[in-house]
Structure formats: C-alpha cells, structure tokens
Amino acid sequence: MGRRRGLMSEQFKMELAKELGFYDTVKSEGWGGITTRDAGNMVKRAVQLAEEALAAKRL
C-alpha cells in the first residue's frame, strides 16, 4: 500500500509550525524531526481553523 498524499499544503504546514513554535526543527531536521505531540497539535490546530472557517462561512 502506497503512502497517502497529504491533505495540507506544505505552505500551510509551515505556517502552523511557525505558529506552534517548532518551525526551526522542521527547517533543520525535516518533518521527521518533530515530536508526535507537535504533529498532533498541528493537526488539532488545522481542524480548529477549518471549523472556524466553516462557522464564518455559515454566517
């Protein structure tokens, strides 16, 4: 089974990494260098932003 293509753009992931404070790690070590907790926080924040965008769209 092949790897799934990511749903988030690379630019969006970088913006989230900057916001959450682990951009330097990504820059120096790549995405494999972040912790599981950081990855989870990134996904959590992406979901939060998507929910906020949907809520704003409904108004």
Side-chain angles (χ1 to χ4, degrees):
M1 186 167 142
R3 251 186 126 149
R4 277 182 58 179
R5 185 172 173 215
L7 298 176
M8 290 189 278
S9 71
E10 195 68 20
Q11 180 182 353
F12 183 58
K13 291 192 298 187
M14 289 294 189
E15 288 174 18
L16 289 174
K18 287 176 187 175
E19 179 180 327
L20 297 171
F22 54 86
Y23 175 74
D24 290 338
T25 302
V26 173
K27 191 174 173 185
S28 64
E29 300 176 34
W31 290 108
I34 66 171
T35 65
T36 304
R37 178 173 290 185
D38 286 339
N41 287 337
M42 187 172 70
V43 172
K44 194 181 304 184
R45 181 67 177 135
V47 169
Q48 181 183 28
L49 290 171
E51 288 174 343
E52 290 172 3
L54 281 174
K57 194 173 185 180
R58 289 182 183 151
L59 295 177

